[in-house]
Structures are given as structure tokens and as C-alpha cells.
Amino acid sequence: MPQVFSPARVAALTERERADYIAQRPRSAALAAGSGHLLSGVPMHWMRDWGTPFPLYIDHAQGAQCVDVDGHVYTDFCLGDTGAMFGHSPAPVAAAIAERAARGYSCMLPGADANWVGAHLAERFGLPVWQIATTATDANRFVLRWARGLSGRPVVVVFDGCYHGTVDDTLVRQDADGRTVARSGLVGQVADLGQYTRVVPFNDLAALHAALAPGDVACVLTEPALTNIGMVLPDEGFLAGVRQLTRQHGALLVIDETHTISTGYAGYSGQIGLEPDMLVLGKPIAGGLPAAVYGMSAEVAARAEALLASKPDGHSGMGTTLSANLFTLAAMRANLEQVMTRDAYALTTPRAARLADALRALFARHRLPWCVTQIGARCEFQFCPTPPRTGAEAEAAMDHALERLIHLSLLNQGVLITPFHNMMLVCPDTPETAITALVDGVEAVLEALRG
Ligand SMILES: Cc1ncc(COP(=O)(O)O)c(C=O)c1O
């Protein structure tokens, strides 16, 4: 990535923003100082990786806003990295949770909401049979187990730059020699992940064909567009090619819509009529409560029922105690019925398009070789002139020092965007003025960088 701004200038401005952050947040600082009984001072150690001097402690959040313990109000374009993509604490979900909370919710047995949710998901996504999990990570783990169990084939194919949660089989990258290796930074990895996972570059049908050719692949698991390494959109015809090749080689196509549900009512695959064999959706499905779903075609479901009927007694290796409890299903129903609606998408997609256009105009005005991509409510800016076509290209375009400066400066200006890359989500409550504030905030950083 050609560096547009001097690293020394980026470092100096980052120091200034860090000092500002510290000075403005005495209560967050005090909480951080008293966090010695938490590993790395936080409930999940990676919460320290946001790039702030100490974590931002949140007091409450509503709609498109969150408020920290020091009383600063932020317009939230991170939205829990999609968990709250329809806004924080949507009233119907909050009411369903409150109603269920008083009547018991963890019985390890279904209630009436489960049937409603199953029927709704079937109608929405065109896959007739569904299961519930607690996180998208779990749902992905379970679909891989199903795919292997149903096919008797051991190998899973994913695309380079993918992220599907902390699912061992998918925590891989392609190295310079084209080999599948464990992602850097992985802790405690014992098994050779390259043994049963094959990584191929996104947008490369020839490589996918080669990966499928041995006939040992249970499934291809992918997002329709990569969204966790910056954004990588599919080339025209790529996903249709993936569908055709998976059918040709007898591998299931599993589509993870956890982030690309930003595209529209039935996700990216619904928008283009992709017809996956299985589909995973986590994060926003129950309004941001821990919940996920996975669906399957009639054919996959019939094979799954046959497998359950014929396998020896004992644990299938799928399902967890607290999944699909009455609480989760009540929240999911309220969310699907009243929050995650066509009307919500009709609001968010044009608003995100305005954000994307405004950022493009900003970068053009500043003659910056940066691009902006958008899928529905989700936008991303990347430090490269044209949208990357592979995960490797997207990774090469990253500049973590510059990204951290932009994020921290935005935070100090009351705007929160997703950490680790430059992703922004717009929810139905995001006001137009917040979009202007975000773009002005980025411009302020650019002007400071130009000195
Ligand atoms: C596409 C995709 N799938 C799955 C996951 C895992 O979600 P969770 O961390 O909620 O299990 C993520 C998380 O970022 C994701 O982006």
C-alpha cells in the first residue's frame, strides 16, 4: 500500500488524540484502573485491541446512539459489529425480553415461538428447515459437522481472508506458496488446520475448481462478499460460478449471511437468488442477543433426518444447553416480525448509499487513492484506489496506524466506527446529520494530516 501520509505525522497526531481521549474520560480511566480481576482488564481480552488508551466503558445505548460512563454521546456506526444493526434496544425486542423474563426462559424445551420463527425463516430465506444456535460461531461449527456427516467427506473449503467466528477449521489463511496454514496469532493450535481445510482466493473460480476436483470436499463455506478483511465484493458471475462448481462436485454450498444480511430482507443470497444448500445467520437475528440460526434445503434436511435416525445413540456434537431457550425465541420473533423488516431496509440502504457517496466525494476532493464499497446498510473505505478482489489484496491495503488514528479521532469527535478495519453500519435511527458528522470527522483528520 503506497503511504500517502508520513508515518511520523500519523504517530504524532495519534499521540495528540490519545492524550485527548485520556483527558476526557476520567470515569472510563477509573474503571480500567480497577479491572485487575479480568484478564487484560476486560471481559474478553480482545476488547483491548480497539486502539484506545483504555477501553471505552458504555453506560447505555439506544437507537443509533451510545453513551459512555463519562456522559459522552456517540453516534454509533459500529452497532455492535452488526449485532445492533437495526439500532440498540429496539422497543419490540426489549418488550419481548421483559415479558419473557418474568415467566421463565431456560427449560431446554421449545415453546410456541419456535414454530413461528421456523416458518418465518423458511418464508424469508427460501430454505424450509431451520435450527437455532447461540452464536454464529456455533452455527458455523454445526453446519460444518452436518456437511461432513452427511457427505462422509472430510475437507472444508473457505476463501482466503474469511472470518466465520472462532471455528477452528476456518481460522486459516493461504500462504505465499498457496498452502493452507493457521492464521497468525492463533493461540493453542495443535492440529494442522491444513489437513482438512483448503483455502482458495476469493473471486478465483479456477482455484475453487482445483480445490474441489479431488472429490473429498464436504462443503464450501463463504460469505457472499468478504466483510472481515475490509470488504471484498464478488465479481459479476463469481457466486453463480461457486454454485455451479459446488453442485458439479457434490459439495454443499454454505452461505454465512451474518454480516451480509445488511444487503436486504433475505440477505445477499436472497437478493441474487443464489440458492445455497445451507445458510447461517447470527448477530442481529434476535436484536443483538446471543442467538443464531442455520437453515437447510429440503434435500439436506431429509438427509439429516435419515442420519439422525440411523446413527448410533449418543451426542451428535451439535447443540448447547442455553441455545434456543424461550427468551431467545421470544426476542427473535419480535425482531423478525417488527424490527428486521422490509421497511427498515428501505430506510437504511439509501442512507448508507449517501454515506458511501459522501466519502467518495471527500476522498476525490482530497485526491486520495482510497475506495468505498457498500452492501445495503454496510459501507467500508479502504486505502487502495479500486475495490480489492481478493482477501490478500484487501489485507495489503490495510494501514493499521492510519486506521487507528482515524478511529480514535472520530471517537473524540463523538463518532464510533467498527474497530480493526473501516466498516460503518447505518441503522433506521441514524440521522442524516450523523452521516455529515462522520464525513466531516474524517475530513478533520485528513486536514490535520496535511498539516
Ligand atoms: C461472517 C461472520 N460469521 C460469523 C461470525 C461470528 O459471529 P459470533 O462472534 O457472534 O459468533 C462473524 C463475526 O464477526 C462474522 O463476521
Side-chain angles (χ1 to χ4, degrees):
M1 201 253 335
Q3 251 158 0
V4 186
F5 299 109
S6 107
R9 182 88 188 133
V10 171
L13 288 174
T14 302
E15 264 326 296
R16 197 176 80 186
E17 295 295 345
R18 285 173 69 84
D20 190 23
Y21 179 96
I22 293 166
Q24 300 299 324
R25 294 172 180 81
R27 291 216 170 102
S28 273
L31 285 169
S35 64
H37 290 290
L38 298 171
L39 184 68
S40 301
V42 276
M44 289 186 284
H45 66 84
W46 55 262
M47 286 179 167
R48 284 310 299 262
D49 299 341
W50 272 67
T52 49
F54 45 79
L56 184 73
Y57 286 78
I58 295 298
D59 184 72
H60 62 278
Q62 183 67 57
Q65 284 189 337
C66 51
V67 180
D68 72 14
V69 291
D70 287 286
H72 301 294
V73 179
Y74 303 89
T75 307
D76 189 358
F77 289 90
C78 168
L79 293 168
D81 193 11
T82 312
M85 69 169 277
F86 296 95
H88 292 286
S89 272
V93 177
I97 291 171
E99 196 276 333
R100 195 68 241 182
R103 296 200 300 126
Y105 43 82
S106 209
C107 308
M108 279 216 320
L109 287 166
D113 287 333
N115 285 4
W116 187 96
V117 166
H120 176 91
L121 293 171
E123 185 275 322
R124 183 186 280 238
F125 293 103
L127 289 170
V129 176
W130 291 82
Q131 287 283 272
I132 313 292
T134 298
T135 62
T137 297
D138 275 349
N140 279 318
R141 237 197 313 266
F142 302 155
V143 296
L144 296 189
R145 200 172 267 283
W146 276 122
R148 286 171 165 145
L150 295 176
S151 64
R153 295 173 171 192
V155 176
V156 168
V157 168
V158 293
F159 291 104
D160 193 35
C162 74
Y163 183 67
H164 298 285
T166 50
V167 181
D168 286 8
D169 307 77
T170 65
L171 292 168
V172 287
R173 285 284 185 266
Q174 196 171 47
D175 73 6
D177 299 319
R179 283 182 309 228
T180 298
V181 293
R183 277 177 72 149
S184 115
L186 209 52
V187 170
Q189 187 58 44
V190 178
D192 169 10
L193 293 178
Q195 203 181 352
Y196 296 118
T197 302
R198 223 163 268 157
V199 185
V200 296
F202 200 68
N203 279 321
D204 188 340
L205 288 174
L208 179 62
H209 182 73
L212 292 169
D216 57 358
V217 175
C219 71
V220 174
L221 168 63
T222 187
E223 293 184 273
L226 303 183
T227 65
N228 285 289
I229 184 127
M231 190 122 78
V232 183
L233 299 179
D235 287 350
E236 185 74 36
F238 174 66
L239 293 172
V242 173
R243 181 61 284 191
Q244 188 269 320
L245 283 174
T246 44
R247 282 204 175 110
Q248 180 187 331
H249 291 278
L252 296 179
L253 175 58
V254 183
I255 292 292
D256 182 350
E257 292 273 10
T258 296
H259 277 183
T260 48
I261 192 66
S262 66
T263 316
Y265 185 74
Y268 200 112
S269 29
Q271 195 106 323
I272 63 166
L274 184 58
E275 298 182 354
D277 299 298
M278 300 184 85
L279 184 146
V280 168
L281 174 56
K283 298 196 185 184
I285 187 78
L289 239 59
V293 295
Y294 62 96
M296 55 191 93
S297 67
E299 194 221 323
V300 171
R303 287 164 65 194
E305 294 287 12
L307 180 59
L308 289 176
S310 63
K311 82 174 189 61
D313 286 347
H315 204 303
S316 67
M318 291 171 277
T320 56
T321 313
L322 301 181
S323 307
N325 62 40
L326 301 172
F327 199 60
T328 304
L329 269 297
M332 214 181 265
R333 177 176 182 166
N335 186 55
L336 289 167
E337 199 168 24
Q338 300 175 63
V339 180
M340 212 169 142
T341 58
R342 291 185 196 280
D343 287 350
Y345 284 100
L347 284 174
T348 53
T349 299
R351 220 168 278 167
R354 279 196 285 287
L355 172 58
D357 285 345
L359 286 170
R360 281 186 198 108
L362 172 70
F363 299 150
R365 229 170 29 248
H366 283 258
R367 296 190 201 303
L368 286 168
W370 296 355
C371 65
V372 183
T373 43
Q374 182 213 346
I375 36 177
R378 179 183 304 274
C379 293
E380 175 94 32
F381 63 88
Q382 282 155 296
F383 305 130
C384 49
T386 51
R389 290 188 54 253
T390 65
E393 282 179 23
E395 196 155 35
M398 286 178 164
D399 178 340
H400 292 299
L402 179 58
E403 168 198 297
R404 279 176 178 224
L405 167 63
I406 295 172
H407 289 219
L408 192 54
S409 171
L410 285 174
L411 205 61
N412 284 335
Q413 298 177 67
V415 176
L416 193 64
I417 70 173
T418 312
F420 317 134
H421 50 107
N422 301 311
M423 201 277 285
M424 295 144 291
L425 274 165
V426 166
C427 77
D429 301 301
T430 309
E432 290 288 342
T433 49
I435 289 172
T436 310
L438 195 168
V439 177
D440 289 351
V442 178
E443 180 149 42
V445 187
L446 299 179
E447 277 165 1
L449 280 164
R450 290 250 145 88

